[in-house]
């Protein structure tokens, strides 16, 4: 659409502005703007950009180009290059991986991080850049013409869409709907993203006739009849209408198609101007002035006259950098399509020569040489473009370039001399790029074909080792062990070398995956020996990790930790291996109950991932999972909650679902409503991934139990156990959770004798399942169960006794002691049951001690459901915290006091200012009966976590009045803190108010 005010697009602009407003307010948003070519998407975005700039947004705009997948991250490069000073430039200075995208970058050469790992680093760097900039000013990031985007750019859009949550970032992408044929690669991406609530789809429809007439009238002189004729022909397409309107000035004839219209405009130019425009069309949507001058072969004066004529006719516009761009991509396409075959070939070859002289990108050179049918130049440029794509972290594009070179290789006799590589080596690189991009099927197919061509022992070994490795990654076990063994035997008569160590390590992995643990251990031991003798650092670390994993399952965790300590102490040039070693070292420390060491190891691992830009790599993410889990167990739920802020609720992939499921630990433990929404998003992934179902449904079972629904809890437990093997140690926790549910059913006095018998039979089965998993490993008796495993095994035994009504204080004391290695929450839950058992045994004094200890832990954790259960027990037993106990809870670990977060906490009774510490008093049967209606409103808001100021705003009272109400509530309930009051409200069914 032309200049002037935006006509007829108020609704579409309004939807975009709402996304922009939300981003300014701290809720990231994504808008996908689709419409036919020429329908007005660019004009709409230009209006949004101008509005954002007036609102002090940082604006980044990048343009895709019709070069296939030749130029990875082209729109990102375009956007970053267009950033003029400010926080973006400052952020780029600290991120060489992004600076490397820019022409003439001064960033250091790419390090050993390449391919898929480099892509993870680049994605993480872009996310952190947007987050950093958004902390200063909100950001509008526009990517235009995504129908031309390369695979890596599409993956970046998906990544950012899923990771952006609370940042002040608005991401907008545009695409042509009429270009999206059934197999277009953007179609599944759009389908995936448009299911997310973060994403707003904006379809730009044909312009209404009245709006079109107003738009044409605003362009200039034209009688009503002419405008009416154009409106009827244009079909609501503003660009078509504008071209029709311009082409019919002074003419009675209306051209037939849009291409006819565009070429009629071109044919109205002088011969020289037409020549220049044809040259520019071969360059693409944009062209540099100097390159255009050289390709056109004109002197400055005639070139400038031709360009002035073209610009004045509105066919080219002066670009924001030194050069020109077509007013619309459709115009460039029409001019290009009108070229004669020989003319097109000659001009592409001319551009290739000019770009070679001027140091143009290898990807552009490959494009022009290929279009010019110069196979020699195309092969050389494609190999170089592939290597550059690997450095930039664009493995999909690298694979495409390498594949293109391989397709033409046989037609270039001196290809090895020109490229400095062999066909076999290039095939290995192409397969590696395919695997890095996730296309294991393609990588495996390439190597299977290559296996028929190689003849030397080294190449046979390398090809088979890589093939087996990719098969293992892809869970393609057919022939995997034989392939890995072939790699080892190929080197049988050769001196030991690093390749042999690598082949042995992969062979050990395949043996383990196929249930041959003893052979796997022996092979990994040999791999370690060969690696040390040949100085193969990567293979040595890999072998140490493999041996540790074997030892962990079949031997002793202490030996596993020793091996992993050695692996983590080494520094490989391969950062992925370093992170893998640190993750497994920290994991074994955690599983052995050494929480302090595990916290330190995870912190160091997360720091390494952050410093190397690999926060979002596989093991960078796993380290963050583990760091969260360590703090969940050691009772530092505030830190765990901070870490979980990055675990998005709105998930769309299995990896995101795994990350999200970890956040349920604290959310369920604290009784947060957010757990319900998270579980709704995770539910579609339950059939897709065993770990997600274990985490999500296991915690959904705990949530159901806290809500008094043991039947639903058992349904979740049975579903999880159905996915686990009997040897899986996770069965112990699931069985214990199921036994908790059965114990709740067993205590219902309404059940029949037959129902009791059925419950006990189920309990026997679950206990047998837990005992079997605790005693047996993959290759026989389990070497040693970690402290957490021992805790869950003890919990299973104790809840089995609850089912039968035979639980004793000694049984629950054993459980509490098993969790006392540092698992604060589970220790408190066990002490709750211990206090119950002691009361039933008549030992009131000991019960009070255990109850008090549990109350303190639950209150510090803000564990509302556990706090409510303890409150119920305390009221039944007429327990209260002593004054000394209250004082001991008033330090930094507490969440009470004016302005503190209400809701989570543990109720208790105090003697009050004039009472005796530790006095035992009974709460009223209806503990909220003494509250006025206003006090009930205030308590409901306290339960929702509102501060006094927020309560005042909600109820239209002063902050001081709200504070007085809170003080009165605490006094009437006989509690010391807001968290205790909130737990009582939760127990009594006083729900937080809706928004």
């Amino acid at each position: 659409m032309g200049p002037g005010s935006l006509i007829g697009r108020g609704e579409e602009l309004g939807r975009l502005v709402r996304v922009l407003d939300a981003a300014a307010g701290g809720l990231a948003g994504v808008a996908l703007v689709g419409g036919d070519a020429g329908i007005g998407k660019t004009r709409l975005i230009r209006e949004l950009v101008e509005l954002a700039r007036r609102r002090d947004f940082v604006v980044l705009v990048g343009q895709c180009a019709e070069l296939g997948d030749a130029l990875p991250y082209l729109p990102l490069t375009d956007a970053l290059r267009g950033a003029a000073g400010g926080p973006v430039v400052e952020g780029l200075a600290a991120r060489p991986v992004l600076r490397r995208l820019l022409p003439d970058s001064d960033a250091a050469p790419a390090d050993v991080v390449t391919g898929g790992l480099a892509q993870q680093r680049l994605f993480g760097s872009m996310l952190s850049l947007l987050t950093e900039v958004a902390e200063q000013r909100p950001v509008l990031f526009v990517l235009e013409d995504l129908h031309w985007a390369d695979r890596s750019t599409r993956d970046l859009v998906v990544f950012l869409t899923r990771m952006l949550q609370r940042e002040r970032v608005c991401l907008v992408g545009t695409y042509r709907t009429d270009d999206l044929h059934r197999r277009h690669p953007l179609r599944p991406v759009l389908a995936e993203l448009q299911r997310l609530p973060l994403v707003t789809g904006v379809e730009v429809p044909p312009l209404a006739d009245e709006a079109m007439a107003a738009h044409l009238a605003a362009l200039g002189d034209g009688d009503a009849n002419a405008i009416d004729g154009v409106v009827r022909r244009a079909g609501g397409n503003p660009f078509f209408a504008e071209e029709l309107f311009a082409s019919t000035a002074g003419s009675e004839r209306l051209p037939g198609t849009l291409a006819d219209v565009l070429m009629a405009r071109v044919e109205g130019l002088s011969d020289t101007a037409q020549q220049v425009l044809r040259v520019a069309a071969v360059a693409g949507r944009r062209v540099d002035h100097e390159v255009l001058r050289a390709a056109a072969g004109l002197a400055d004066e005639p070139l400038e006259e031709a360009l002035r004529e073209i610009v004045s006719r509105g066919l080219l516009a002066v670009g924001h950098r030194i050069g020109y761009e077509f007013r619309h991509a459709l115009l460039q396409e029409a001019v290009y399509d009108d070229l004669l075959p020989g003319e097109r070939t000659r001009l592409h070859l001319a551009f290739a020569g000019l770009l070679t002289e001027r140091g143009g990108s290898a990807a552009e050179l490959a494009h022009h040489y290929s279009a010019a049918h110069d196979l020699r130049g195309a092969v050389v440029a494609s190999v170089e473009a592939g290597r550059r794509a690997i450095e930039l972290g664009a493995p999909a594009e690298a694979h495409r370039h390498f594949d293109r070179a391989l397709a033409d290789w046989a037609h270039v006799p001196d290809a090895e001399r020109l490229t400095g590589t062999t066909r076999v080596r290039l095939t290995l690189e192409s397969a590696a790029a395919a695997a890095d991009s996730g296309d294991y099927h393609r990588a495996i197919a390439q190597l299977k074909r290559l296996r028929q061509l190689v003849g030397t022992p080294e190449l046979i070994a390398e090809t088979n080792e890589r093939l087996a490795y990719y098969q293992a990654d892809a869970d393609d076990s057919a022939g995997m062990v034989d392939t890995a063994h072939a790699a080892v035997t190929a080197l049988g008569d050769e001196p030991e070398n690093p390749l042999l160590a690598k082949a042995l390590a992969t062979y050990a992995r395949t043996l383990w995956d196929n249930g041959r643990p003893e052979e796997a251990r022996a092979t990994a031991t040999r791999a370690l020996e060969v690696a040390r003798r040949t100085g193969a650092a990567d293979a040595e670390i890999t072998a140490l990790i493999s041996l540790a994993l074997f030892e962990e399952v079949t031997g002793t965790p202490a030996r596993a930790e020793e091996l992993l300590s050695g692996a983590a102490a080494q520094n490989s040039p391969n950062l992925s291996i370093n992170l893998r070693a640190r993750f497994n070292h920290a994991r074994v420390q955690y599983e052995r109950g050494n929480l302090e060491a595990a916290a330190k190891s995870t912190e160091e691992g997360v720091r390494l991932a952050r410093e190397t830009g690999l926060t979002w790599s596989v093991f960078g993410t796993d380290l963050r999972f583990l760091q969260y889990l360590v703090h969940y167990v050691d009772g530092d739920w505030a830190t765990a909650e901070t870490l979980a802020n990055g675990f998005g609720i709105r998930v769309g992939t299995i990896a995101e679902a795994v990350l999200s499921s970890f956040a349920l630990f604290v959310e369920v433990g604290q009784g947060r409503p957010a757990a319900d929404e998270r579980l709704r998003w995770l539910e579609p992934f339950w059939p897709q991934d065993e770990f997600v179902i274990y985490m999500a449904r296991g915690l959904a079972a705990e949530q159901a139990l806290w809500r008094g629904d043991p039947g639903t809890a058992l349904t979740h437990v049975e579903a999880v156990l159905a996915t686990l093997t009997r040897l899986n140690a996770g069965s112990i926790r699931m069985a214990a959770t199921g036994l908790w549910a059965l114990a709740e059913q067993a205590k219902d006095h309404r059940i029949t004798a037959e129902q009791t018998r059925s419950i006990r039979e189920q309990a026997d089965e679950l206990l047998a399942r837990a005992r079997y998993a605790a005693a047996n490993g993959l290759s026989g008796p389990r070497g040693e169960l970690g402290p957490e495993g021992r805790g869950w095994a003890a919990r299973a035994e104790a809840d089995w006794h609850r089912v039968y009504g035979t639980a004793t204080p000694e049984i629950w004391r054993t459980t509490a002691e098993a969790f006392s290695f540092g698992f604060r929450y589970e220790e408190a839950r066990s002490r709750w049951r211990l206090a119950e058992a002691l009361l039933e045994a008549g030992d009131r004094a000991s019960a009070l001690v255990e109850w008090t200890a549990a109350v303190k832990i639950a209150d510090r954790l803000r564990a509302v459901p556990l706090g409510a259960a303890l409150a119920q027990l305390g009221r039944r037993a007429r327990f209260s915290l002593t004054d000394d106990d209250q004082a001991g809870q008033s330090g930094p670990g507490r969440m009470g006091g004016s302005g503190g977060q209400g809701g989570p906490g543990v109720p208790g009774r105090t003697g009050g200012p004039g009472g005796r510490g530790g006095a035992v008093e009974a709460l009223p049967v209806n503990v909220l009966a003494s509250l006025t209606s206003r006090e009930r409103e205030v308590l409901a808001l306290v339960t929702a976590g509102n501060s006094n100021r927020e309560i005042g705003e909600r109820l239209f009272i002063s902050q001081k009045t709200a504070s007085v109400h809170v003080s009165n509530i605490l006094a009437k309930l006989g509690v010391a803190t807001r968290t205790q009051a909130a737990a009582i409200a939760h127990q009594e069914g006083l729900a937080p108010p809706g928004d």
Side-chain angles (χ1 to χ4, degrees), residues 628-629 632 637 647 657-672 675-676 678-679 682 686 690-707 709 712-717 720 730 733-734 737-738 740 788 792 823 825-826 829 865:
Y628 171 90
L629 200 55
Y632 165 73
W637 283 16
F647 300 174
V658 170
L659 185 66
S660 178
S661 64
F662 274 83
L664 286 168
F665 279 112
V666 171
E667 288 176 350
V668 169
Q670 293 186 335
R672 293 188 180 182
D676 294 293
R678 193 178 296 277
L679 284 167
L682 289 170
W686 293 352
E690 290 183 4
F691 191 73
V692 172
I693 193 174
Y694 172 78
M695 294 284 291
R697 297 200 75 170
L699 288 161
E702 290 192 17
Q703 182 192 58
L705 283 163
W706 284 127
R707 292 176 174 178
D709 187 359
T712 296
L714 276 171
T715 299
H716 287 304
V717 167
V720 175
R733 176 176 183 152
M734 282 302 103
T737 304
W740 175 10
E788 185 183 353
W792 288 113
F823 203 152
Y825 179 57
E826 294 304 335
R829 288 212 295 173

Side-chain angles (χ1 to χ4, degrees), residues 493-516:
D493 296 329
E494 301 295 315
E496 288 185 347
N497 56 48
L499 178 57
L500 175 60
K502 190 176 181 179
L504 285 165
T506 297
Y507 184 35
R509 178 186 179 189
T510 63
L511 288 167
W512 179 265
D513 289 347
N514 277 267
R516 296 158 65 176

Side-chain angles (χ1 to χ4, degrees), residues 770-792:
R771 286 174 172 174
Y772 186 86
N776 295 279
L778 183 64
S779 61
R782 189 178 293 278
E784 181 183 326
L785 200 61
E788 185 183 353
R790 293 195 295 272
W792 288 113

